[in-house]
Amino acid sequence: MASYEYVSPEQLAGFDKYKYSAVDTNPLSLYVMHPFWNTVVKVFPTWLAPNLITFSGFLLVVFNFLLLAYFDPDFYASAPGHKHVPDWVWIVVGILNFMAYTLDGVDGKQARRTNSSTPLGELFDHGLDSWSCVYFVVTVYSIFGRGSSGVSVFVLYLLLWVVLFSFILSHWEKYNTGILFLPWGYDISQVTISFVYIVTAVVGVEAWYEPFLFNFLYRDLFTAMIFGCALCVTLPMSLLNFFRSYKNNTLKHNSVYEAVVPFFSPCLLFILSTAWILLSPSDILELHPRVFYLMVGTAFANSTCQLIVCQMSSTRCPTLNWLLLPLFVIVMVVNVGVTPYVESILLFTLTAAFTLAHIHYGVRVVKQLRVEEKNIGL
């Protein structure tokens, strides 16, 4: 198992022919961030590997997640009457979040600057981005938290899924059209949230208790922005890009079944994880929300990485992810009935297993592609 090869010979052959194709139409990205990143990348020495920049940005996101997990383990720190997160933590998180976003924008420019652009670099970048979704969303949750002034853990669970599906839509588009249409919501959200972290340090979390407009609270604005961006911007633009490709007869998959296969595993993951929440005898989401989010986000990242491998190698996406099998078994066990202690053990064990399995997948895929690059002289 330690030397298992996840990338098939057919996929390796597809990577050899791969050419990067992406479209970015976001005004914020084009006229503000790209000029900024073009300046920042000149600071980096040419010997610095782009993948190291990518990984450093990911580690900053994970560090923010762990830092808030320490100061706000149960998401009650921002609620009235509870000990709040220290102001300096919000400043650190805000700065590191913007640094991570900057590194994510600079890594590709460093690759082109040093003539080291490879399919592995793109896969590494987007693969880590898929896992960053859960860390980013869960960290943001601590601004409002739960309680009378915050957002319930189930609403945050739904918001997490909105973000996850928004992310996979871009790669679903590329799977079908061959072009990666970069979503507008990403740049806007990263800049906005980095700013909100700093503002929280200045005005305190109590400022978010007050109504934003009439009886419309800031927590409602937070929720509305995520749902609104997904339903009014991300989804319509994805469907429009898909329709244009269909109209121009450039779709890579002609059947409806093949076109929607990438959604099978994420949808099943949503169904199974939601069923666990609804059937849970101990209300597992209320009991361990942070761990449950991490379990869902890691399983999602693994399915997304498999999709990215397939769309980059022009091969068929697998119908289902085998990682969902143990989740299915646990949902069945929970439905029969278990004690709160046993259910907690099952959640922590499954989350650890998903994390180790995903790390193993990533390490093995990177090693396989590195060997292939050496063989073809990249």
Side-chain angles (χ1 to χ4, degrees), residues 68-223:
L68 263 301
Y70 177 79
F71 286 100
D72 183 24
D74 54 6
F75 300 110
Y76 276 115
S78 293
H82 288 73
K83 183 179 179 180
H84 296 329
V85 173
D87 293 340
W88 67 265
V89 173
W90 294 120
I91 294 175
V92 169
V93 170
I95 292 173
L96 294 185
N97 188 80
F98 188 77
M99 287 178 60
Y101 169 54
T102 300
L103 293 176
D104 190 40
V106 163
D107 53 5
K109 296 183 182 297
Q110 176 75 348
R112 289 184 286 275
R113 177 178 175 234
T114 57
N115 244 349
S116 55
S117 297
T118 64
L120 173 58
E122 182 185 343
L123 175 61
F124 192 65
D125 184 7
H126 294 162
L128 289 180
D129 285 345
S130 69
W131 205 6
S132 294
C133 288
V134 64
Y135 296 112
F136 166 70
V137 173
V138 176
T139 302
V140 170
Y141 186 29
S142 287
I143 294 176
F144 302 97
R146 52 178 168 169
S148 59
S149 62
V151 178
S152 73
V153 289
F154 185 72
V155 169
L156 197 278
Y157 168 77
L158 297 178
L159 292 176
L160 172 62
W161 269 109
V162 170
V163 173
L164 296 180
F165 273 115
S166 296
F167 180 89
I168 204 171
L169 268 176
S170 296
H171 294 283
W172 170 76
E173 286 178 70
K174 189 173 183 182
Y175 179 74
N176 285 286
T177 67
I179 301 173
L180 179 64
F181 296 92
L182 300 175
W184 284 28
Y186 174 68
D187 297 283
I188 296 172
S189 65
Q190 291 298 315
V191 173
T192 302
I193 291 301
S194 297
F195 176 73
V196 170
Y197 282 136
I198 303 299
V199 171
T200 301
V202 175
V203 303
V205 294
E206 295 86 356
W208 308 123
Y209 301 166
E210 302 299 324
F212 168 69
L213 183 66
F214 302 112
N215 292 323
F216 194 67
L217 302 178
Y218 281 100
R219 67 180 183 189
D220 302 321
L221 177 64
F222 167 69
T223 302

Side-chain angles (χ1 to χ4, degrees), residues 141-355:
Y141 186 29
S142 287
I143 294 176
F144 302 97
R146 52 178 168 169
S148 59
S149 62
V151 178
S152 73
V153 289
F154 185 72
V155 169
L156 197 278
Y157 168 77
L158 297 178
L159 292 176
L160 172 62
W161 269 109
V162 170
V163 173
L164 296 180
F165 273 115
S166 296
F167 180 89
I168 204 171
L169 268 176
S170 296
H171 294 283
W172 170 76
E173 286 178 70
K174 189 173 183 182
Y175 179 74
N176 285 286
T177 67
I179 301 173
L180 179 64
F181 296 92
L182 300 175
W184 284 28
Y186 174 68
D187 297 283
I188 296 172
S189 65
Q190 291 298 315
V191 173
T192 302
I193 291 301
S194 297
F195 176 73
V196 170
Y197 282 136
I198 303 299
V199 171
T200 301
V202 175
V203 303
V205 294
E206 295 86 356
W208 308 123
Y209 301 166
E210 302 299 324
F212 168 69
L213 183 66
F214 302 112
N215 292 323
F216 194 67
L217 302 178
Y218 281 100
R219 67 180 183 189
D220 302 321
L221 177 64
F222 167 69
T223 302
M225 284 181 64
I226 294 179
F227 276 111
C229 183
L231 296 177
C232 300
V233 180
T234 305
L235 181 59
M237 291 183 69
S238 292
L239 294 178
L240 178 60
N241 292 329
F242 181 87
F243 176 75
R244 284 174 175 168
S245 185
Y246 170 77
K247 190 175 180 181
N248 296 331
N249 200 29
T250 57
L251 285 178
K252 300 177 71 174
H253 305 280
N254 295 324
S255 73
V256 175
Y257 175 82
E258 290 296 336
V260 300
V261 160
F263 289 128
F264 287 2
S265 287
C267 286
L268 183 57
L269 173 61
F270 173 74
I271 292 170
L272 290 175
S273 57
T274 304
W276 188 351
I277 294 171
L278 298 178
L279 297 172
S280 173
S282 63
D283 206 350
I284 193 68
L285 186 61
E286 289 285 342
L287 196 61
H288 302 294
R290 192 179 291 273
V291 180
F292 197 92
Y293 297 146
L294 183 58
M295 179 273 293
V296 169
T298 303
F300 170 85
N302 189 263
S303 294
T304 303
C305 285
Q306 293 185 30
L307 168 60
I308 295 172
V309 167
C310 293
Q311 54 101 335
M312 291 181 67
S313 60
S314 296
T315 54
R316 185 181 181 277
C317 182
T319 305
L320 293 175
N321 187 341
W322 68 268
L323 283 183
L324 300 182
L325 179 59
L327 176 58
F328 172 78
V329 173
I330 288 178
V331 171
M332 294 299 102
V333 171
V334 168
N335 187 40
V336 174
V338 292
T339 65
Y341 176 77
V342 171
E343 187 174 13
S344 296
I345 292 297
L346 288 174
L347 174 61
F348 278 82
T349 301
L350 184 65
T351 303
F354 278 2
T355 302

